[in-house]
Amino acid sequence: MIHPFLRLTGVSKRFGGVLALDHVDWDVMRGEVHCLVGENGCGKSTLIKIVAGVHPPDAGSGLQIGGEDVLPLSPSRAHALGIQVIFQDLSLFPNLSVAENIGIDLALSGLARPARFAEMRRIARAALARLAFDLPLDARVADLPVAERQIVAICRGLAAEAKLVFMDEPTSSLTRAEVNRLLAIVARLKAEGIAVVFVSHRLDEVVEIAERVTVMRDGRRVGTFPVAEVNERRIASLMTGLDISASIVARDMSAAPPLLAVRNLTREGEFSDVSFDVRRGEVLGLTGLLGAGRTELALSLFGMTRPDSGTIAIAGNVVHLRSNQDALRAGIAYVSEDRLNLGLNLRQSIEDNLTLAVLDRLRGALGLLSTAKRKQMAQSWIDRLSIKIPGLDRPVSTLSGGNQQRVVLAKWLATGPKVLILDSPTVGVDIKNKQGIYEVVRQLADEGVGILLISDEVGEIFATCDRVLHMRAGRIVEEAVPGGVSEDALKERIYA
Ligand SMILES: Nc1ncnc2c1ncn2[C@@H]1O[C@H](COP(=O)(O)OP(=O)(O)O)[C@@H](O)[C@H]1O
Ligand SMILES: [Mg+2]
């Protein structure tokens, strides 16, 4: 009989008044890639910490690793049994080098310094080679981008002879290209017989790499499924307990007047000969691989860069956009992919962020800003988008990702756009908040705004858009209607 590498029986964990885990039974097989999904606070990290020996589970819980009962479990014993965790904060030593971080176990060995140094480098080189990855061994970890720090953390796990690697939300701050690289690394670990438990918010990733997926909700395991037997929508509804299958049906908007008409737009090296319309009340999806030119196109539509040729017309009038101010005046607003850099000033208050784009409009006849008016406007957007805030004067950094995203949305909506460009609006946002953002998008469309939704999540496009454009290498290569093509078929063509 094959027994699982890891088995939990009736694992519970209470933190004061919070039952973080409620009688969880679960197992992970040797060498399997297993995804653990669930909304914020459902207990995923707590589960991982129990397996890693960080938290003791409550009395009555059972935990077996390699067929042996292992409770009580200390972190060092979990480590010796082959459990490695890449925590969200990565737990690296930022001031140490790549080699020192990977070979950190040697720091406590009896080896003399020069020998230890050489050995660390050897171990680090070997671990990187196993991942077919190259990093400068002497670079200070603090100087590396997040994606590479993550690779250092994975190498450290490899050097410690991991049998089961937990990755706690490893992709939340990565670009699509970095995610792909990480998924390739997961595949390599698996090929070596190392099991990987991958915690992710992004259901498309789950479906891409895992063999099984476990869904948690409110501290309970809702179920574990072979990935082939569930789709993203089903997982989402298990996570939330909501019926998301009742998602929006694409509408035929071809009779509505075009609000944004783009013709033969070209910018050397970025996109070429792009033509399309966004109609009044329409949600038009724009999908494709990272690097297909979608964001570059959006930047030209928002006046941030100048196209070399072609035209942009808003509500029938050709416009020449020299700045984002021009674009805002013409009626185009843009919610950037990188909300933290382009969309929000995290240290400023929620009110300041919300009203920044419309300050001119709020100034009175004498050029004075009416504070009352400003507050009132900010509050009305908070209400309208159901943004949960501790107070208008608090910094935006105090909000959750989903609520920050709504603040960005409100900031641009306050400019009263005819056309709203949303670039990957739900990246890093959990399922329930994603649903909320989709609802706002539909509501805006119903009010007559034309929406261009850029997203590489095909499921998201299908759930929200009336029509989809597929962009590849700077060109629109396909136009589809959700329902007219299947999600899988489109995905296959995108990744082909
Ligand atoms: N150390 C702790 N002390 C008190 N409560 C905690 C602690 N760790 C987690 N919790 C609570 O347990 C629940 C599950 O949290 P967590 O495991 O972090 O969820 P997830 O990783 O799925 O977002 C939450 O309600 C959280 O607030
Ligand atoms: Mg967590």
Side-chain angles (χ1 to χ4, degrees):
M1 190 192 109
I2 6 168
H3 60 83
F5 178 67
L6 171 71
R7 166 162 282 171
L8 278 68
T9 40
V11 168
S12 295
K13 178 69 186 177
R14 179 175 286 284
F15 293 109
V18 177
L19 189 55
L21 293 176
D22 185 1
H23 293 90
V24 173
D25 297 328
W26 186 52
D27 57 54
V28 177
M29 308 305 291
R30 286 172 200 281
E32 98 170 302
V33 178
H34 196 123
C35 275
L36 185 59
V37 300
E39 296 206 286
N40 277 333
C42 72
K44 304 178 298 291
S45 294
T46 304
L47 188 74
I48 294 172
K49 285 176 185 160
I50 285 176
V51 178
V54 176
H55 290 316
D58 293 348
S61 305
L63 181 58
Q64 293 188 325
I65 296 175
E68 306 283 328
D69 288 315
V70 294
L71 290 175
L73 181 66
S74 65
S76 57
R77 176 133 179 256
H79 188 91
L81 288 165
I83 306 292
Q84 285 291 323
V85 183
I86 319 295
F87 285 109
Q88 265 159 316
D89 65 8
L90 300 178
S91 326
L92 293 172
F93 299 93
N95 290 317
L96 297 186
S97 70
V98 167
E100 288 165 318
N101 268 282
I102 296 175
I104 196 73
D105 284 351
L106 285 175
L108 300 173
S109 73
L111 286 179
R113 199 173 178 282
R116 193 172 72 214
F117 191 69
E119 184 62 4
M120 277 178 168
R121 294 177 65 86
R122 191 189 62 75
I123 287 175
R125 217 174 284 122
L128 283 162
R130 277 167 78 184
L131 299 181
F133 210 87
D134 206 16
L135 283 180
L137 295 183
D138 299 317
R140 229 167 51 110
V141 159
D143 299 331
L144 300 177
V146 178
E148 294 186 354
R149 279 185 232 168
Q150 206 167 40
I151 286 161
V152 173
I154 295 169
C155 285
R156 185 184 52 191
L158 282 180
E161 314 230 343
K163 295 198 176 72
L164 168 56
V165 178
F166 284 94
M167 299 190 184
D168 197 353
E169 308 219 19
T171 59
S172 44
S173 56
L174 303 187
T175 64
R176 182 69 222 192
E178 291 167 339
V179 169
N180 286 343
R181 199 164 66 179
L182 182 66
L183 296 185
I185 285 176
V186 169
R188 276 189 171 254
L189 295 178
K190 179 185 160 56
E192 293 202 10
I194 298 170
V196 178
V197 173
F198 195 87
V199 177
S200 176
H201 273 323
R202 301 199 38 175
L203 300 182
D204 54 341
E205 287 165 5
V206 172
V207 180
E208 251 171 71
I209 63 162
E211 293 151 87
R212 292 197 297 163
V213 54
T214 289
V215 182
M216 293 189 59
R217 184 165 81 231
D218 296 335
R220 301 216 180 100
R221 187 176 65 93
V222 181
T224 298
F225 312 89
V227 161
E229 288 172 19
V230 285
N231 57 23
E232 289 170 40
R233 207 156 287 167
R234 171 96 179 110
I235 297 172
S237 75
L238 289 167
M239 278 167 58
T240 54
L242 303 172
D243 183 11
I244 295 173
S245 60
S247 73
I248 303 107
V249 185
R251 302 159 309 169
D252 179 2
M253 302 300 292
S254 55
L259 287 182
L260 172 67
V262 175
R263 292 293 176 270
N264 313 107
L265 208 64
T266 299
R267 186 173 150 85
E268 206 60 45
E270 294 189 348
F271 49 86
S272 25
D273 204 20
V274 170
S275 299
F276 64 89
D277 291 335
V278 179
R279 295 171 183 279
R280 187 182 157 80
E282 180 178 46
V283 185
L284 176 65
L286 180 60
T287 190
L289 293 176
L290 196 103
R294 300 164 310 165
T295 296
E296 290 76 3
L297 174 63
L299 290 175
S300 275
L301 295 176
F302 193 50
M304 309 275 281
T305 58
R306 296 235 212 138
D308 298 322
S309 59
T311 59
I312 302 170
I314 305 292
N317 303 311
V318 171
V319 291
H320 299 281
L321 307 171
R322 282 171 310 267
S323 67
N324 55 355
Q325 289 307 319
D326 276 0
L328 285 171
R329 267 192 294 274
I332 303 184
Y334 173 54
V335 177
S336 69
E337 171 174 31
D338 192 352
R339 65 174 179 265
L340 302 182
N341 283 332
L342 284 171
L344 288 178
N345 185 330
L346 288 181
R347 276 178 311 240
Q348 279 185 5
S349 74
I350 295 163
E351 180 178 333
D352 286 346
N353 273 283
L354 270 174
T355 52
L356 196 69
V358 286
L359 281 183
D360 285 344
R361 199 169 309 175
L362 293 173
R363 284 180 208 283
L366 295 174
L368 294 173
L369 185 63
S370 157
T371 28
K373 223 176 178 178
R374 187 174 134 144
K375 214 164 225 76
Q376 188 190 24
M377 189 202 93
Q379 188 59 50
S380 75
W381 282 107
I382 298 289
D383 296 343
R384 187 134 182 246
L385 298 188
S386 319
I387 308 175
K388 292 197 188 62
I389 61 163
L392 278 174
D393 55 345
R394 301 299 306 283
V396 164
S397 58
T398 57
L399 302 181
S400 68
N403 282 305
Q404 287 184 1
Q405 188 62 308
R406 287 177 200 221
V407 171
V408 189
L409 204 54
K411 165 180 168 181
W412 297 113
L413 287 176
T415 65
K418 295 187 181 75
V419 176
L420 179 64
I421 304 172
L422 295 170
D423 199 345
S424 311
T426 62
V427 166
V429 171
D430 68 22
I431 286 282
K432 209 177 280 168
N433 279 305
K434 274 187 181 176
Q435 273 312 111
I437 289 170
Y438 302 154
E439 276 158 26
V440 170
V441 167
R442 291 309 301 199
Q443 211 181 317
L444 290 167
D446 288 343
E447 289 169 16
V449 179
I451 293 166
L452 181 64
L453 174 75
I454 302 176
S455 174
D456 50 17
E457 287 188 54
V458 175
E460 168 164 304
I461 294 262
F462 268 61
T464 326
C465 296
D466 298 313
R467 222 160 29 106
V468 192
L469 302 177
H470 170 189
M471 194 163 178
R472 169 186 287 271
R475 291 173 182 272
I476 308 284
V477 293
E478 174 181 11
E479 176 185 328
V481 176
V485 296
S486 80
E487 224 172 287
D488 288 344
L490 180 58
K491 235 187 237 170
E492 250 166 52
R493 286 199 291 274
I494 292 173
Y495 290 104

